[in-house]
Amino acid sequence: MLRGPMRALWILAGLAACTAAPALAQQAAAPASPAAITVEAPYTTGDAWIDRQLADIDAYARRYPASFLDELERHLAVRRGYAEEVLAAQGWRAGDLYFACAWAQAARLSCRELVRAYSRSSVRDWQAALKTLPVPPANANYRQVRHAIVASFDRWDRPIELDARLREQLGDRDQRLERARQAAQPAPQPAPQPAPQPKSESASKPPPKPVPKR
């Protein structure tokens, strides 16, 4: 049994350990410093507006991955299994895959061609990848990709800020939704035409020849 000074030292050591434990736990649970947080590289498609929306698509896909994959499959003609394989590969973000497939649709290429072109780019730069395609990039392609992005955000019910040119081309949200509603309606079928009536036998026979008089 400890007595005197030795007992006092043991008590002080125990108190110090109890005081230090919560402080160490707080340090372990503290968030990483800003320098330790990894910041994803910005997109480089050649269109600043598209670049911003692709970053927002990344955020949407992280929160609603199934809805994002449904959009690719239904409206950008991308098989779901293939999209999942690409997203699992290193260096591929949701915005990258969306841009690849939207551009492929605009340029009448396959999404796989765009994926291969971007994968071959050593610097992972979309502008450099687009220059390697058999169809050179054109303003019309960028316009179609912009329109595709707006349509996707409308289907996701996600807010999107249009620039002046897009507002002029597509109108406000209510106008865009009304056009989409009308486009989704089936085309009116022509009224059936009445079937032709068959001719009677009397009408089809030639008239009898007159009998000569004697």
Side-chain angles (χ1 to χ4, degrees), residues 143-208:
R143 182 173 64 251
Q144 287 181 258
V145 172
R146 283 166 148 249
H147 290 190
I149 291 174
V150 174
S152 293
F153 275 61
D154 285 345
R155 283 187 287 268
W156 292 334
D157 197 21
R158 191 169 181 83
I160 185 170
E161 183 177 352
L162 275 60
D163 59 21
R165 178 171 295 181
L166 279 173
R167 286 194 298 271
E168 180 181 354
Q169 294 170 346
L170 301 177
D172 59 25
R173 178 177 170 79
D174 291 339
Q175 293 171 323
R176 299 194 304 269
L177 292 179
E178 177 60 22
R179 284 198 302 271
R181 186 189 66 79
Q182 293 178 0
Q185 291 180 347
Q189 298 295 325
Q193 298 294 326
Q197 297 296 326
K199 295 181 180 180
S200 63
E201 292 185 5
S202 59
S204 61
K205 291 182 179 179

Side-chain angles (χ1 to χ4, degrees), residues 76-97:
L76 294 179
V78 185
R79 187 171 56 84
R80 191 185 188 94
Y82 176 71
E84 290 173 337
E85 291 175 7
V86 174
L87 292 175
Q90 185 177 5
W92 277 91
R93 297 172 287 183
D96 286 318
L97 182 57

Side-chain angles (χ1 to χ4, degrees), residues 40-44 58 68 86-87 89 91-98 118:
E40 292 184 345
Y43 285 95
T44 56
D58 285 337
F68 172 71
V86 174
L87 292 175
W92 277 91
R93 297 172 287 183
D96 286 318
L97 182 57
Y98 185 99
Y118 186 67

Side-chain angles (χ1 to χ4, degrees), residues 3-54:
R3 296 182 180 179
M6 291 296 295
R7 183 179 181 183
L9 288 174
W10 276 101
I11 293 174
L12 290 174
L15 290 174
C18 293
T19 305
L24 291 173
Q26 291 177 2
Q27 291 177 4
S33 62
I37 297 176
T38 302
V39 179
E40 292 184 345
Y43 285 95
T44 56
T45 64
D47 185 303
W49 185 89
I50 293 178
D51 294 344
R52 291 192 299 271
Q53 310 320 312
L54 295 182

Side-chain angles (χ1 to χ4, degrees), residues 15 29 103 121 139 148:
L15 290 174
W103 188 278
S121 175
N139 289 335

